């Protein structure tokens, strides 16, 4: 019993000083406690702000300026007087079987200082374009219409410039019918003559508004020995020239 009491006294004696050590120390009131204060910046001093990294923006290369050229104007095709023929309306006196009838078509030209442009019959210059190389030795019956084909002097392979529209058109044309009676007293009455002209390009395409022309004449002429030539004039517009 004494031994237990001695142990308790020893434990109490040791615990006392330990409790005293965990007590809060007294506050020194003379010591200044510094609290965190916001930093004031002096005027004129800039703050260093951290900027985000620059964003790299990809830019497209500058557009190359292009000049748009208008399409080149198409070269207009050249047109040519490619064919000619005549239709003859016989009146009350026929052309006999053995009597000849030659037809020729000329391009007219004008010589300065000579005839005026309106005076077709006085033109001194002419160039043969078409002719009958084989004269029709067939009968042209009374009150019938017969067609005579003409051969061109020029072609696309031989001096085509001579039948180019711009060359043959300016001063017009002259068609000439020459009658060769089989015997002196033979006669042939021509009531009407139609000259047919065709104008095309090298590909056979007709001219837009002058591709096919018919020019009608009504001479009502009696062809006979001594008066056996009929001249018909066509102006530059492919119209009958009176």
């Amino acid at each position: 019993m004494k031994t237990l009491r001695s142990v308790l006294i020893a434990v109490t004696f040791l615990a006392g000083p330990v409790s005293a050590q965990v007590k809060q120390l007294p506050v020194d009131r003379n010591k200044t406690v510094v609290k965190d204060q916001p930093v004031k910046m002096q005027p004129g001093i800039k703050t260093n702000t951290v900027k985000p990294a620059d964003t790299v923006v990809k830019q497209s290369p500058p557009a190359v300026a292009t000049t748009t050229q208008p399409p080149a104007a198409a070269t207009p095709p050249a047109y040519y007087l490619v064919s000619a023929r005549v239709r003859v309306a016989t009146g009350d006196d026929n052309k006999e079987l053995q009597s000849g009838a030659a037809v020729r078509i000329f391009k007219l030209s004008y010589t300065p200082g000579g005839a005026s442009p309106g005076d077709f019959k006085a033109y001194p210059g002419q160039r043969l374009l078409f002719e009958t190389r084989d004269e029709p030795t067939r009968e042209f019956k009374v009150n019938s219409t017969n067609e005579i084909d003409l051969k061109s002097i020029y072609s696309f392979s031989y001096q085509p410039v001579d039948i180019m529209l711009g060359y043959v058109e300016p001063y017009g044309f002259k068609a000439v019918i020459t009658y060769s009676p089989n015997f002196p007293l033979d006669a042939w009455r021509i009531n009407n003559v139609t000259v047919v002209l065709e104008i095309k390009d090298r590909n056979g395409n007709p001219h837009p508004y002058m591709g096919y022309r018919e020019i009608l004449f009504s001479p009502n002429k009696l062809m006979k020995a001594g008066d056996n030539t009929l001249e018909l004039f066509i102006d530059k517009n492919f119209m009958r020239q009176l």
Side-chain angles (χ1 to χ4, degrees):
M1 192 65 176
K2 287 181 179 179
T3 304
L4 179 59
R5 186 178 294 124
S6 298
V7 172
L8 290 174
I9 292 170
V11 170
T12 302
F13 175 79
L14 293 174
V18 174
S19 301
Q21 292 179 2
V22 297
K23 290 181 180 180
Q24 185 176 2
L25 297 174
V27 177
D28 187 355
R29 296 187 181 275
N30 294 325
K31 187 176 181 179
T32 304
V33 178
V34 180
K35 295 183 179 180
D36 293 336
Q37 297 291 335
V39 179
K40 293 183 179 181
M41 303 301 298
Q42 295 181 3
I45 299 177
K46 294 183 179 180
T47 59
N48 293 328
T49 58
V50 179
K51 296 182 180 180
D54 293 337
T55 303
V56 179
V57 179
K58 290 186 177 181
Q59 295 184 352
S60 301
V64 179
T66 57
T67 304
T68 303
Q69 297 291 340
T75 303
Y79 290 94
Y80 303 84
L81 182 58
V82 296
S83 72
R85 58 187 182 275
V86 297
R87 289 196 294 266
V88 180
T90 299
D92 56 5
D93 201 338
N94 68 329
K95 184 187 80 66
E96 299 289 342
L97 177 65
Q98 297 301 322
S99 297
V103 181
R104 293 171 293 167
I105 294 180
F106 298 88
K107 178 193 84 70
L108 299 177
S109 61
Y110 172 64
T111 302
S116 64
D119 187 5
F120 283 84
K121 294 184 180 181
Y123 273 52
Q126 59 187 25
R127 180 183 291 258
L128 180 63
L129 299 179
F130 298 92
E131 66 177 350
T132 50
R133 293 181 181 171
D134 298 318
E135 295 184 17
T137 55
R138 62 184 187 274
E139 180 185 4
F140 289 175
K141 295 183 178 181
V142 172
N143 299 324
S144 67
T145 299
N146 296 269
E147 189 167 278
I148 303 173
D149 290 325
L150 304 180
K151 304 295 184 181
S152 177
I153 303 299
Y154 307 101
S155 65
F156 291 134
S157 57
Y158 175 68
Q159 295 183 218
V161 67
D162 285 312
I163 54 173
M164 186 178 291
L165 181 60
Y167 176 78
V168 301
E169 181 185 20
Y171 300 107
F173 311 90
K174 178 175 71 173
V176 180
I177 300 176
T178 303
Y179 174 59
S180 302
N182 185 38
F183 59 95
L185 298 180
D186 192 15
W188 173 33
R189 181 171 294 281
I190 297 177
N191 283 351
N192 301 313
V193 177
T194 302
V195 178
V196 181
L197 303 176
E198 292 188 63
I199 302 167
K200 300 180 180 180
D201 64 15
R202 286 179 175 269
N203 296 320
N205 301 310
H207 190 280
Y209 57 91
M210 296 177 62
Y212 181 87
R213 304 291 291 180
E214 290 190 358
I215 304 98
L216 175 64
F217 299 87
S218 300
N220 192 23
K221 179 179 177 64
L222 183 64
M223 307 279 280
K224 57 186 178 180
D227 188 11
N228 65 332
T229 301
L230 175 62
E231 292 186 340
L232 308 169
F233 291 87
I234 303 168
D235 67 16
K236 64 179 182 180
N237 297 314
F238 293 85
M239 302 292 290
R240 176 170 58 95
Q241 176 68 29
L242 300 176

